[in-house]
Amino acid sequence: MINKIVQTMADAVAGIRDGAVVLLGGFGNIGQPHALLDGLIEQGAKDLTVVSNNAGVGRTGLARLLDLGRVRKIVCSYPRTADPVVFEELYRAGRIELEIVPQGTMAERIRAAGAGIPAFYTATAVGTKLAAGKEEREINGRKYLLEESLPGDVALVEAWEADRWGNLTYRSSGQNFNPIMATAAQLTIVQAQHVVDLGALDPEKVMTPGIYVNRVVHVPYGDPMVP
Amino acid sequence: MINKIVQTMADAVAGIRDGAVVLLGGFGNIGQPHALLDGLIEQGAKDLTVVSNNAGVGRTGLARLLDLGRVRKIVCSYPRTADPVVFEELYRAGRIELEIVPQGTMAERIRAAGAGIPAFYTATAVGTKLAAGKEEREINGRKYLLEESLPGDVALVEAWEADRWGNLTYRSSGQNFNPIMATAAQLTIVQAQHVVDLGALDPEKVMTPGIYVNRVVHVPYGDPMVP
Amino acid sequence: MSLFAACKPLSRNDMAERLARDIPEGWYVNLGIGAPLKVADYVPMEREVIFQSENGVLGMGPVPDPEKIDRWLINAGKQYVTLRPGGSYMHHADSFALIRGGHLDLCVLGAFQVAENGDIANWSMSDNDSAPAVGGAMDLAAGARQLWVIMDHQTKSGESRLVRRCSYPLTAIGAVTRVYTNLAVLDVTPDGFVVRDVVPGLTLEALQQVTDAPLRMAAKNS
Amino acid sequence: MSLFAACKPLSRNDMAERLARDIPEGWYVNLGIGAPLKVADYVPMEREVIFQSENGVLGMGPVPDPEKIDRWLINAGKQYVTLRPGGSYMHHADSFALIRGGHLDLCVLGAFQVAENGDIANWSMSDNDSAPAVGGAMDLAAGARQLWVIMDHQTKSGESRLVRRCSYPLTAIGAVTRVYTNLAVLDVTPDGFVVRDVVPGLTLEALQQVTDAPLRMAAKNS
């Protein structure tokens, strides 16, 4: 019997290696797997590359992982949030590498990694300083940049419901990067608010089929914090 | 008030021009917009390029459009179906052009057209005769082909439910090419089994948001024919 | 400044209202973070304009009553929003496929500078910016069918934001189609900025004096 | 043929059963149209193997009772199928993203020829084929982690289907990892075909006589 539900946080985050590329779901505070982040902090892996839309808020979660010196590089579109104090300190001190990627290009690069597309062309960022070092090509009269896929070793995902096959649903704007990150990593780890019986999810409402999921841990924390 | 529901088939298919590229949803008999095809036959546009997974069965629908000499070229992955008599006759007589595309490459080229991706790389068909004339490129040690997006002037789509904004759902394997074709055409025309009130569709179950849809016509025909 | 003695520059709210008037029913529109978000307040619900947020929300409604907040539903500025009947959700790749694919009728962004060739600079003040944050601005600017910019005509220190060439790092090239400032509405055309509309009491000459890029007047009834 | 006097080649059903034994629980598997589809009949429901069909069905169950057919639910061969609890649907781009992205543990295809370097030819009999039909075969062959081929060892006229180089148009290069024939099971390795298993009574020498490509025996307990 397939059963991807694990019983402890330690089991959920076991085996994340030093140097891993970690895809971290969430947009702002919504759909971000805070419990898995705490599990990763506890687990100890270091020298990480974190791919996340934002660069952490306050002193907890991703900010704490940064604060502990466990992140070598961050790939994100928007490091300037309401309270990015930890990231800014590290960045100014030259103690963390930053790769700024336009948000849509980041999303498409992650999707491409899951879809077996090693590279694609996009008009986003043509003529800007984020085009530096990228191949430019004219196709049908318009200029495009070549962008490579962005795969992860690990994806940390927050879902609303999950079953033992790893099928997932998400709640309203809690989807954001989670479904595409789930497809793009060697090891996809999910925290879910609700664990339901196999067959309980509407087959037309499953947003991430279990094929993309390795482990699910039940974390029924309720609504996201007010930031 | 936005209202994409049209009352007659003539209104639904109005304005399809000679020479148009028509994306035709469906896989086999499922999810294929037979009523819109009949509407297109009646409407009269000719010299069409049809993008469809299959090349028509028997003597009705797409096969009839072919039989009437209205199709200049067909882009498909699998012209050899149970009863492709019309297509085979035309093809052997040199009266129709055929572009064979691997099914997944066809799907991704259509998706790319809707997503503003003019071209992408894929390992599918490397080293085969379908790679002829395509750019080959090695990326991280593996060979890939460059494939261009495949946009349509018109998409003919079959949906299960629709509302006046053009939001759509599909039924089980009736999705197939329909959601991606809806994103990839200048003019997306939908036949829907059920027209429902705005707000009646679950926001998490809408598979094609109305932004991709221009016209919806109500065609409550019931279950697909047994082939 | 004597130039403005005879006229009253628009407030932020006035600018948003002015822009909102030009959005026809049925358009799909993304409003950037900050000043552009105000535009939604001036589009009446009965004129159905469908607002998108790049974090996967299509069909946003007004800000919720404080006691009715859904804490799972935010916009790109991380503010709580609502979903209208007919709205829907999607993931980030689908959301930016919609943006990049040219399906938005309009995006409204703020900017530091707009150039007469349609270049826009709105994400970074200098090449040495510590940790610049681009978000979805480049995708939106390159992807939407129309890009309207809403911004003050001049900086606080009196420099023109409508320029011949942007001096700040670019967000996109040749993307802007119209600019709404506190003094005027200007189209970006192959011939540069064309003035559609000025605030009452302001002459084209006076407007030109506070504008770096050359201006032309629109032909009547165009 | 005297070679086969001492042995009994496997039937189509036997081959499917033999292959099915090697699929572990938890694998995600695509079965090609035709002979490969039989494999599903020999995987017991209690061994949870999840079958995918490229038209957007993940978690296919057995063929439905005639009175319980859902006419909206077909497989890639256009046959009516069922969905298991835990199954789900997706559109064609997502379905082939799954295939192309290397997420299938296994694809099983039929073939005309398999070469010792893993090349497979299974879609077209000649370069002058009238209207050749490729379907999803190239995507599946290039995308799945493992590609197992199920086919007769020889053509009806007695030619070997396991060859040094394919003479028919290729479906994919270097993709096949194992072949199940009516006479043997063979791995495709960097050193060519390695025999894992032969039908009782057949010697390696006899198998080699009906095989164009050179064969090697697997090391014991490998």
Side-chain angles (χ1 to χ4, degrees):
Chain A
M1 194 179 93
I2 298 170
N3 188 3
K4 299 183 180 179
I5 314 293
V6 298
Q7 295 306 318
T8 70
M9 184 53 71
D11 288 343
V13 298
I16 300 177
R17 283 196 291 256
D18 292 352
V21 175
V22 179
L23 309 180
L24 178 63
F27 182 86
N29 202 35
I30 313 298
Q32 191 156 84
H34 298 288
L36 292 177
L37 268 171
D38 289 342
L40 174 58
I41 288 166
E42 184 77 13
Q43 188 261 2
K46 58 183 190 299
D47 197 29
L48 301 169
T49 294
V50 172
V51 179
S52 165
N53 191 61
N54 305 102
V57 177
R59 292 261 168 204
T60 61
L62 175 56
R64 179 154 163 72
L65 191 70
L66 300 178
D67 210 6
L68 292 168
R70 303 263 292 281
V71 179
R72 184 181 67 75
K73 177 180 176 180
I74 191 155
V75 181
C76 76
S77 86
Y78 208 79
R80 193 186 298 141
T81 48
D83 186 13
V85 48
V86 175
F87 170 77
E88 297 239 320
E89 280 169 18
L90 290 168
Y91 186 73
R92 265 187 257 116
R95 287 172 50 216
I96 193 163
E97 193 181 336
L98 172 66
E99 180 182 344
I100 288 280
V101 185
Q103 194 172 154
T105 297
M106 187 165 124
E108 190 68 9
R109 287 177 62 195
I110 294 166
R111 189 250 174 207
I117 305 294
F120 59 89
Y121 290 94
T122 174
T124 299
V126 165
T128 76
K129 68 178 184 179
L130 296 189
K134 295 184 194 289
E135 175 186 315
E136 188 179 287
R137 182 172 184 146
E138 193 169 309
I139 301 174
N140 298 327
R142 190 172 181 191
K143 288 177 182 167
Y144 297 92
L145 300 179
L146 183 67
E147 294 282 356
E148 293 199 357
S149 67
L150 181 52
D153 297 302
V154 179
L156 303 183
V157 163
E158 191 199 36
W160 182 244
E161 300 163 300
D163 64 26
R164 67 176 173 83
W165 278 11
N167 293 306
L168 308 179
T169 67
Y170 302 91
R171 181 158 169 182
S172 65
S173 73
Q175 282 191 67
N176 56 66
F177 283 93
N178 286 299
I180 51 174
M181 286 181 168
T183 72
Q186 294 299 312
L187 174 64
T188 293
I189 308 171
V190 177
Q191 69 170 78
Q193 297 260 4
H194 303 280
V195 171
V196 302
D197 286 344
L198 193 71
L201 299 179
D202 178 347
E204 285 164 357
K205 221 176 142 172
V206 169
M207 298 181 203
T208 293
I211 189 169
Y212 294 116
V213 172
N214 299 93
R215 302 172 191 161
V216 175
V217 60
H218 187 198
V219 181
Y221 71 82
D223 286 341
M225 301 175 292
V226 176
Chain B
M1 195 178 90
I2 298 170
N3 188 4
K4 300 182 180 182
I5 314 293
V6 299
Q7 295 306 319
T8 70
M9 184 53 71
D11 287 342
V13 298
I16 301 177
R17 283 196 290 255
D18 292 353
V21 175
V22 179
L23 309 180
L24 177 63
F27 183 86
N29 202 35
I30 314 298
Q32 191 155 85
H34 296 290
L36 292 178
L37 267 171
D38 288 344
L40 174 58
I41 288 167
E42 184 76 10
Q43 187 261 3
K46 59 184 189 298
D47 197 29
L48 301 170
T49 293
V50 172
V51 179
S52 164
N53 192 60
N54 305 102
V57 177
R59 293 262 168 204
T60 61
L62 176 56
R64 179 154 163 72
L65 191 70
L66 300 178
D67 209 5
L68 292 169
R70 304 261 291 280
V71 179
R72 184 181 66 75
K73 177 180 177 180
I74 189 156
V75 181
C76 76
S77 85
Y78 208 81
R80 192 187 296 140
T81 48
D83 185 12
V85 48
V86 174
F87 170 76
E88 299 240 320
E89 280 170 18
L90 289 169
Y91 187 73
R92 264 187 257 114
R95 287 174 48 217
I96 192 164
E97 193 181 336
L98 172 66
E99 179 181 345
I100 288 281
V101 184
Q103 195 173 150
T105 298
M106 187 165 124
E108 189 68 10
R109 287 177 62 194
I110 294 166
R111 189 248 173 212
I117 304 293
F120 60 89
Y121 289 95
T122 174
T124 299
V126 165
T128 75
K129 68 178 183 178
L130 296 189
K134 294 184 195 289
E135 175 186 314
E136 189 178 286
R137 180 172 186 147
E138 194 169 308
I139 301 174
N140 298 325
R142 192 174 181 189
K143 289 177 181 167
Y144 297 92
L145 300 179
L146 183 67
E147 294 282 356
E148 294 198 358
S149 67
L150 181 51
D153 296 302
V154 179
L156 303 183
V157 163
E158 191 200 36
W160 182 245
E161 299 163 300
D163 64 27
R164 68 177 171 82
W165 279 12
N167 293 306
L168 308 179
T169 67
Y170 303 91
R171 181 158 168 181
S172 67
S173 73
Q175 280 191 67
N176 56 66
F177 284 93
N178 285 301
I180 50 174
M181 287 179 166
T183 71
Q186 293 298 314
L187 174 64
T188 291
I189 308 170
V190 178
Q191 69 170 79
Q193 297 261 3
H194 303 279
V195 171
V196 302
D197 285 344
L198 193 72
L201 299 178
D202 179 348
E204 285 164 358
K205 223 176 142 173
V206 168
M207 299 181 202
T208 293
I211 191 171
Y212 295 116
V213 171
N214 300 93
R215 301 173 191 161
V216 175
V217 59
H218 187 199
V219 182
Y221 70 83
D223 287 340
M225 300 177 291
V226 176
Chain C
M1 296 183 33
S2 63
L3 279 169
F4 302 124
C7 78
K8 186 161 169 286
L10 300 185
S11 67
R12 280 292 168 95
N13 286 343
D14 292 341
M15 289 160 67
E17 186 184 13
R18 174 67 189 82
L19 190 152
R21 284 210 304 265
D22 291 345
I23 304 177
E25 180 162 84
W27 272 24
Y28 293 87
V29 178
N30 182 296
L31 301 176
I33 297 173
L37 276 178
K38 285 185 194 291
V39 170
D41 297 340
Y42 297 98
V43 176
M45 285 291 277
E46 60 273 18
R47 191 204 312 163
E48 291 188 335
V49 170
I50 299 176
F51 292 106
Q52 191 249 7
S53 183
E54 58 260 40
N55 58 317
V57 186
L58 186 63
M60 273 188 300
V63 170
D65 293 335
E67 71 276 16
K68 286 187 181 165
I69 285 174
D70 172 353
R71 282 200 263 158
W72 292 86
L73 182 45
I74 60 170
N75 65 13
K78 280 88 172 177
Q79 299 160 308
Y80 295 117
V81 292
T82 53
L83 192 76
R84 291 178 69 154
S88 59
Y89 303 110
M90 63 194 82
H91 62 59
H92 248 77
D94 279 352
S95 178
F96 279 90
L98 185 160
I99 291 167
R100 196 188 310 101
H103 303 285
L104 289 174
D105 295 290
L106 172 65
C107 175
V108 182
L109 292 177
F112 303 132
Q113 296 175 322
V114 174
E116 60 182 347
N117 63 358
D119 290 357
I120 172 174
N122 86 335
W123 71 290
S124 171
M125 297 290 281
S126 101
D127 279 332
N128 302 315
D129 199 348
S130 85
V134 69
M138 287 189 182
D139 310 279
L140 285 161
R145 290 180 198 164
Q146 299 278 332
L147 176 59
W148 294 353
V149 165
I150 186 165
M151 63 179 186
D152 283 341
H153 205 89
Q154 297 171 284
T155 65
K156 281 176 188 154
S157 57
E159 289 162 84
S160 172
R161 293 179 183 275
L162 289 89
V163 295
R164 289 166 190 267
R165 288 294 176 270
C166 293
S167 57
Y168 292 149
L170 295 182
T171 305
I173 54 172
V176 180
T177 53
R178 192 179 290 171
V179 183
Y180 291 79
T181 80
N182 52 339
L183 300 179
V185 179
L186 310 95
D187 282 331
V188 179
T189 76
D191 300 319
F193 289 113
V194 172
V195 180
R196 289 174 71 89
D197 208 3
V198 293
V199 292
L202 187 67
T203 63
L204 181 62
E205 291 67 32
L207 186 68
Q208 181 68 77
Q209 283 188 48
V210 294
T211 307
D212 178 55
L215 304 177
R216 301 197 310 145
M217 205 62 199
K220 288 274 162 68
N221 303 320
S222 79
Chain D
M1 297 189 27
S2 63
L3 280 169
F4 301 123
C7 79
K8 187 164 171 286
L10 300 185
S11 67
R12 281 291 169 97
N13 287 342
D14 292 342
M15 290 160 66
E17 186 184 13
R18 175 66 190 82
L19 189 152
R21 284 209 303 266
D22 291 345
I23 304 178
E25 179 161 86
W27 272 24
Y28 293 85
V29 179
N30 182 296
L31 301 175
I33 297 173
L37 275 179
K38 283 185 194 292
V39 170
D41 298 339
Y42 296 98
V43 177
M45 283 290 277
E46 60 273 18
R47 193 204 310 164
E48 291 188 334
V49 170
I50 298 177
F51 293 106
Q52 190 249 9
S53 184
E54 59 260 41
N55 58 316
V57 187
L58 185 62
M60 272 189 299
V63 170
D65 294 335
E67 71 275 16
K68 288 186 180 167
I69 285 173
D70 173 353
R71 282 199 262 160
W72 291 85
L73 182 45
I74 61 171
N75 65 13
K78 279 89 173 177
Q79 298 160 309
Y80 294 118
V81 292
T82 53
L83 192 76
R84 291 179 69 156
S88 58
Y89 303 109
M90 63 194 82
H91 61 57
H92 248 77
D94 279 352
S95 179
F96 278 90
L98 186 160
I99 291 167
R100 194 186 313 100
H103 303 284
L104 289 174
D105 295 290
L106 173 66
C107 175
V108 182
L109 293 177
F112 303 134
Q113 296 176 322
V114 173
E116 60 182 349
N117 63 357
D119 290 357
I120 173 175
N122 87 335
W123 72 289
S124 170
M125 297 291 281
S126 102
D127 280 332
N128 303 314
D129 199 348
S130 86
V134 71
M138 288 189 180
D139 309 279
L140 285 160
R145 290 181 198 163
Q146 299 279 330
L147 176 60
W148 294 354
V149 165
I150 188 164
M151 64 178 184
D152 284 341
H153 207 89
Q154 299 171 283
T155 65
K156 281 178 187 151
S157 57
E159 290 164 84
S160 172
R161 292 180 182 274
L162 290 90
V163 295
R164 290 167 190 268
R165 288 294 176 272
C166 293
S167 57
Y168 292 148
L170 295 182
T171 305
I173 54 172
V176 180
T177 52
R178 194 180 286 173
V179 183
Y180 291 80
T181 79
N182 53 338
L183 299 179
V185 180
L186 308 96
D187 281 333
V188 179
T189 77
D191 300 319
F193 289 113
V194 172
V195 180
R196 291 173 69 90
D197 206 5
V198 294
V199 293
L202 186 67
T203 63
L204 181 62
E205 291 69 31
L207 185 67
Q208 181 67 78
Q209 284 189 45
V210 295
T211 307
D212 176 54
L215 303 177
R216 300 196 311 142
M217 204 64 198
K220 286 270 160 71
N221 302 321
S222 78

